[in-house]
């Protein structure tokens, strides 16, 4: 591949826990970069014609993870824009390997903020009983996978989606589409 050829795969891949804002930030990034947005969970929902929570209840987590693995593989192969992965996608070793070398951004959030964002949302099948405790346990099991696959980590706590999108663009050294102006003051130090 010559230096002029674009790299294969998405221009940005967002990973992180549920409720961190991957879809919201991903849509903003796609708009600013003048490219498309794709969400692997949305792909699964469309293919199965049912919400993720129903897939978990009716067919179990193992079946959902199989669907997720296939959806991520397809999206990485086909989508050149911004791609958001479901919170548990990084649990799969073949998915983590697939992400090697891609511009992966881990959007992080602390437990208190995550619980405020996700609340007691019953559409989150892994947080049905005790959201704060279950979220913390999920993060203890997943955090190292997020950091392992990520090129950069961007904290989302106390930031608007626009500020997070700006931090992602800055961290990856990506340029916005002409006409799209940054919505923050540029005082970004810690991403």
């Amino acid at each position: 591949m010559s230096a002029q050829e674009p790299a294969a795969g998405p221009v940005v891949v967002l990973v992180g826990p549920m409720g961190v804002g991957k879809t919201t930030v991903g849509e903003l990034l796609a708009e600013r970069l003048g490219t498309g947005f794709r969400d692997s969970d949305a792909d699964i929902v469309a293919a199965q014609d049912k919400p993720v929570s129903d897939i978990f209840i009716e067919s179990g987590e193992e079946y959902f993870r199989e669907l997720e693995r296939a959806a991520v593989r397809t999206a990485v192969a086909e989508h050149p824009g911004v791609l958001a992965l479901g919170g548990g996608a990084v649990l799969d070793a073949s998915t983590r390997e697939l992400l090697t070398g891609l511009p992966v951004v881990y959007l992080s959030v602390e437990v208190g903020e995550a619980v405020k964002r996700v609340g007691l949302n019953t559409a989150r099948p892994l947080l049905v009983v005790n959201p704060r405790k279950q979220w913390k346990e999920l993060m203890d099991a997943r955090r190292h996978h997020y950091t392992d696959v990520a090129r950069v980590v961007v904290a989302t706590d106390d930031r608007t989606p626009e500020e997070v999108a700006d931090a992602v663009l800055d961290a990856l050294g990506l340029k916005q589409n002409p006409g799209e102006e940054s919505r923050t003051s540029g005082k970004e130090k810690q991403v």
Side-chain angles (χ1 to χ4, degrees), residues 10 38-48 52 55 63-79 83-86 89 92 94-95 98-99:
R38 188 164 176 174
D39 180 313
S40 64
D41 278 354
D43 289 352
I44 295 167
V45 168
Q48 297 294 304
V52 169
I55 298 169
Y63 178 71
F64 175 78
R65 296 298 172 205
E66 291 171 17
L67 296 173
E68 182 174 56
R69 182 173 31 258
V72 170
R73 184 165 300 286
T74 299
V76 166
E78 295 176 353
H79 186 66
L83 174 62
L85 302 187
D92 182 73
S94 67
T95 296
L98 182 67
L99 297 175

Side-chain angles (χ1 to χ4, degrees), residues 1-184:
M1 177 165 58
S2 75
Q4 278 80 23
E5 290 180 40
V11 67
V12 178
V13 179
L14 299 175
V15 300
M18 61 189 87
V20 76
K22 296 181 298 285
T23 299
T24 302
V25 170
E27 289 171 342
L28 284 169
L29 287 169
E31 178 184 318
R32 291 181 184 184
L33 294 169
T35 190
F37 173 73
R38 188 164 176 174
D39 180 313
S40 64
D41 278 354
D43 289 352
I44 295 167
V45 168
Q48 297 294 304
D49 197 30
K50 61 177 80 170
V52 169
S53 56
D54 287 357
I55 298 169
F56 264 78
I57 292 165
E58 295 169 13
S59 304
E61 183 175 0
E62 186 176 330
Y63 178 71
F64 175 78
R65 296 298 172 205
E66 291 171 17
L67 296 173
E68 182 174 56
R69 182 173 31 258
V72 170
R73 184 165 300 286
T74 299
V76 166
E78 295 176 353
H79 186 66
V82 177
L83 174 62
L85 302 187
V90 298
L91 296 172
D92 182 73
S94 67
T95 296
R96 292 192 305 273
E97 184 177 327
L98 182 67
L99 297 175
T100 301
L102 295 178
V104 179
V105 178
Y106 164 31
L107 298 181
S108 70
V109 65
E110 293 302 318
V111 65
E113 182 73 17
V115 171
K116 280 193 278 185
R117 292 179 189 182
V118 176
L120 301 173
N121 186 346
T122 55
R124 307 285 185 169
L126 294 178
L127 296 182
V128 200
V129 180
N130 180 343
R132 181 179 290 271
K133 179 177 183 270
Q134 288 180 311
W135 189 90
K136 186 177 177 328
E137 289 171 358
L138 285 173
M139 282 306 298
D140 289 345
R142 296 176 180 182
R143 185 176 288 109
H144 69 284
H145 292 309
Y146 293 139
T147 57
D148 286 349
V149 300
R151 186 176 294 176
V152 295
V153 177
V154 174
T156 65
D157 301 274
D158 301 318
R159 286 180 164 168
T160 66
E162 291 80 9
E163 290 169 332
V164 174
D166 286 341
V168 169
L169 291 171
D170 290 345
L172 291 177
L174 295 173
K175 303 285 185 223
Q176 320 191 101
N177 242 6
E180 277 292 323
E181 293 181 20
S182 176
R183 293 175 179 94
T184 61

